[in-house]
Amino acid sequence: MSSAINITPRLLYQVDFNVQSNGKIIGATKRQVTFRFGFADPEALANGCVGVNCRGEEHEVVCIWSVASGKETVMLDGKVIHHVEQPKSGGFQDKMERNFNFGKRHVLKVVAHASAPTAGAKNMDGSEQRQFDLLLDGISFFKFSKLFELGCGEEKAIM
C-alpha cells in the first residue's frame, strides 16, 4: 500500500508594492520596501468566484535597508526575521540579497539594489531586472497574478 502526499498548487497574487525613502539627511540612503501578497482561496476558486472574492492567506514582507551604513532589517508579517547592524565590509552597500525559509516548503528571497538598473537590463534567467524584488520559490513578485485576474484562468501557481 502506498501513501501519496497530496500537494495542491497554490495560486499567488499581488496585493501591494510600496517603496519609501526614509533617510534622515539624504532620503535616498535609507529604503523601506513593502511587498504584500497572498495565496488564493482554493475553495472560492472552485466555486467559480473571481477577483477579490478569491482572497486567501495574505502576507507582508518589509525590507528596511540603509545603503550608507549597511543596516538591514527584514520583517515577515510584522516579525523581524533578519537584522544586521553592521555588514562585514562596512560602508556603502550597492546590493542586498537575503534568503529565508517561508512555511514548510517555500523560500523567500529579497533583492534590493542601491540604484535602478539601466533600461532593458536582464537577470541571468532573462527576466527584467528590477531595483527591488521579492521571489517566492524563484517566482518574482512582479509575475504573481493581479488580484483582479484570480478566477479568470491566468493565475500563477506554485507547489
Side-chain angles (χ1 to χ4, degrees), residues 36-104:
R36 290 187 58 219
F37 66 95
F39 295 100
D41 179 354
E43 188 175 316
L45 289 169
N47 290 334
C49 295
V50 296
V52 296
N53 296 320
C54 298
R55 288 181 96 150
E57 173 187 331
E58 294 184 355
H59 300 280
E60 179 180 69
V61 175
V62 177
C63 174
I64 302 169
W65 176 43
S66 171
V67 296
S69 71
K71 290 181 184 178
E72 307 169 2
T73 302
V74 179
M75 294 181 286
L76 173 62
D77 297 331
K79 296 180 183 173
V80 174
I81 58 172
H82 171 76
H83 182 74
V84 173
E85 281 292 324
Q86 291 189 353
K88 294 176 183 172
S89 61
F92 182 81
Q93 304 291 305
D94 64 345
K95 183 177 181 182
M96 183 190 94
E97 190 171 313
R98 300 290 176 256
N99 293 308
F100 309 97
N101 291 327
F102 176 65
K104 294 182 181 177

Side-chain angles (χ1 to χ4, degrees), residues 10-35:
R10 301 186 73 191
L11 302 177
L12 296 168
Y13 61 91
Q14 299 175 6
V15 176
D16 187 34
F17 169 71
N18 186 27
V19 178
Q20 294 178 325
S21 296
N22 296 332
K24 288 180 185 174
I25 297 170
I26 301 173
T29 61
K30 188 173 186 180
R31 313 283 168 71
Q32 180 171 322
V33 185
T34 304
F35 298 92

Side-chain angles (χ1 to χ4, degrees), residues 3 7 10 18 53-54 73 91 101 103 105-106 126 152 157-159:
S3 62
I7 299 177
R10 301 186 73 191
N18 186 27
N53 296 320
C54 298
T73 302
N101 291 327
R105 302 184 310 259
H106 302 292
C152 297
I158 64 166
M159 293 305 275

